[in-house]
Amino acid sequence: MEDHHPIFFFDNYVASNHTFTGLMSDYSASSLGFMELLGVQDFCSSSANSVFELPKEESEDQVKASPADESQNHVISSSVAGDSCNVLNTPSTPNCSSISSEGHLHTEDADGELVEHHHQQQHTKAKQQLKAKKTSEKKQREPRFAFMTKSEVDFLEDGYRWRKYGQKAVKNSPFPRNYYRCTSATCNVKKRVERCFSDPSIVVTTYEGKHTHPSPMNAILPSPATAAFPLPMQFNINQSFNELTNPSALNNQLIDHAAFVVQGRRFCTAKMMGDHQGLLQDLMPSAVLKQDHR
DNA sequence: CGCGTTTGACCCGCGC
DNA sequence: GCGCGGGTCAAACGCG
């Protein structure tokens, strides 16, 4: 491993019992320039249905304030109050089992309108059934985990195979949001990728759900380097996602104490930093700590 | 031909 | 109720 020492900047840190929400920057210059993990946002909480999200405006503000272009020196300002983290009981996308159930309805419509009408009836009926089913089910969003990445490429390789299933324009942004699903048959993990409009160099990637299978690329990924970064817990980011989004993990300190290895570079959560490098030990909401070891 | 992407339509929740 | 915005579907299309 190279002997570069990551320098972390923490802004807008918001602490809660089980979660880390904040922005984290790694200023260690990478000769590869592959990417920099700028933020880690954990959308999971210890209570099952709650989802942590940064309100859009605030997260925009956080990133917006990058000062006059110091290439490597992307400082994220903090004008956000400590409660920038909302707890939402988000209703949404249940694991709907029969969205595509209308396929068998297609008939040879030789009878024109009649068949079409019949088709429509069945169609709407199916929809109503779907709706009834949906409303009766407890709406529950899968755990989500998002991070911001400084990268030139939108789609960051993470070891899994994804199929794009949608693209939407984002309000007030010239950059679209892309929706991906894991291609593995039994796996319903989703991934959302969008570029931050206020800083186009930043890519926001959001994962939702848990992989039910190992990464097909596990074998060729670099192993976490422990020597230069002696942290008790290190994850390869491709493997750690399941752990981070595993509900059982939420009850211990995996979330708070998480370190990532991305392309051989090391990242960790603020708590991890605090405990192991003497930084951020007495975190106040919205605390700002800037250390520059350049 | 199989698999992935594109893209317009549709669905749904939410705020007014 | 209506419009808006986000999320998803699925037919058409492209590519190897």
Side-chain angles (χ1 to χ4, degrees), chain A residues 266-290:
Chain A
R266 297 170 294 276
F267 308 94
C268 72
T269 62
K271 185 80 158 117
M272 190 68 124
M273 282 292 291
D275 285 359
H276 296 280
Q277 298 202 0
L279 301 174
L280 302 168
Q281 283 169 339
D282 297 310
L283 283 166
M284 299 295 290
S286 191
V288 178
L289 176 63
K290 293 178 182 172

Side-chain angles (χ1 to χ4, degrees), chain A residues 12-290:
Chain A
N12 300 326
Y13 183 86
V14 178
S16 66
N17 283 342
H18 297 280
T19 66
F20 166 80
T21 300
L23 298 174
M24 178 174 68
S25 303
D26 173 4
Y27 285 83
S28 62
S30 162
S31 56
L32 293 175
F34 172 70
M35 65 190 226
E36 293 184 24
L37 190 63
L38 292 181
V40 170
Q41 185 170 359
D42 164 40
F43 288 97
C44 311
S45 81
S46 54
S47 57
N49 291 332
S50 297
V51 173
F52 281 76
E53 273 189 339
L54 282 174
K56 192 166 182 61
E57 292 75 18
E58 292 181 352
S59 59
E60 283 165 1
D61 285 345
Q62 288 171 349
V63 184
K64 193 184 303 177
S66 56
D69 193 7
E70 302 176 49
S71 57
Q72 285 290 333
N73 221 1
H74 183 89
V75 179
I76 299 171
S77 83
S78 68
S79 57
V80 183
D83 59 355
S84 68
C85 185
N86 283 356
V87 179
L88 307 173
N89 286 317
T90 317
S92 97
T93 59
N95 296 330
C96 61
S97 53
S98 56
I99 281 288
S100 58
S101 63
E102 49 205 334
H104 68 282
L105 294 177
H106 292 294
T107 56
E108 295 299 325
D109 53 348
D111 291 336
E113 286 185 3
L114 200 62
V115 173
E116 183 60 30
H117 183 64
H118 184 63
H119 182 177
Q120 288 287 344
Q121 276 187 328
Q122 285 189 324
H123 188 80
T124 52
K125 194 175 178 180
K127 282 180 182 175
Q128 284 170 354
Q129 286 174 347
L130 179 65
K131 190 175 182 177
K133 189 180 178 183
K134 276 182 178 176
T135 50
S136 67
E137 280 174 1
K138 183 78 177 177
K139 292 181 179 179
Q140 195 168 347
R141 186 185 281 279
E142 294 284 335
R144 292 193 295 170
F145 176 78
F147 59 90
M148 300 163 73
T149 309
K150 192 167 187 175
S151 171
E152 291 179 7
V153 292
D154 289 348
F155 193 90
L156 303 168
E157 194 55 58
D158 61 4
Y160 289 92
R161 295 185 64 214
W162 303 91
R163 173 167 44 241
K164 186 175 179 177
Y165 68 90
Q167 175 174 321
K168 282 290 288 187
V170 180
K171 189 191 169 195
N172 296 328
S173 171
F175 307 107
R177 176 180 297 143
N178 296 301
Y179 300 88
Y180 300 88
R181 223 190 291 273
C182 183
T183 56
S184 179
T186 59
C187 186
N188 66 342
V189 174
K190 281 176 265 187
K191 178 179 183 176
R192 221 172 58 185
V193 178
E194 61 188 288
R195 196 165 278 280
C196 180
F197 88 98
S198 53
D199 186 341
S201 68
I202 294 175
V203 174
V204 181
T205 306
T206 306
Y207 292 94
E208 182 174 331
K210 292 182 295 177
H211 288 288
T212 59
H213 57 96
S215 162
M217 293 181 68
N218 265 352
I220 63 172
L221 287 167
S223 60
T226 55
F229 206 51
L231 299 170
M233 270 181 283
Q234 294 202 13
F235 301 96
N236 181 304
I237 196 167
N238 301 305
Q239 297 162 341
S240 66
F241 175 61
N242 274 346
E243 300 175 45
L244 286 167
T245 56
N246 185 335
S248 67
L250 300 177
N251 294 323
N252 57 36
Q253 293 189 308
L254 282 179
I255 297 299
D256 279 341
H257 297 80
F260 305 90
V261 176
V262 179
Q263 295 286 306
R265 303 182 62 207
R266 297 170 294 276
F267 308 94
C268 72
T269 62
K271 185 80 158 117
M272 190 68 124
M273 282 292 291
D275 285 359
H276 296 280
Q277 298 202 0
L279 301 174
L280 302 168
Q281 283 169 339
D282 297 310
L283 283 166
M284 299 295 290
S286 191
V288 178
L289 176 63
K290 293 178 182 172

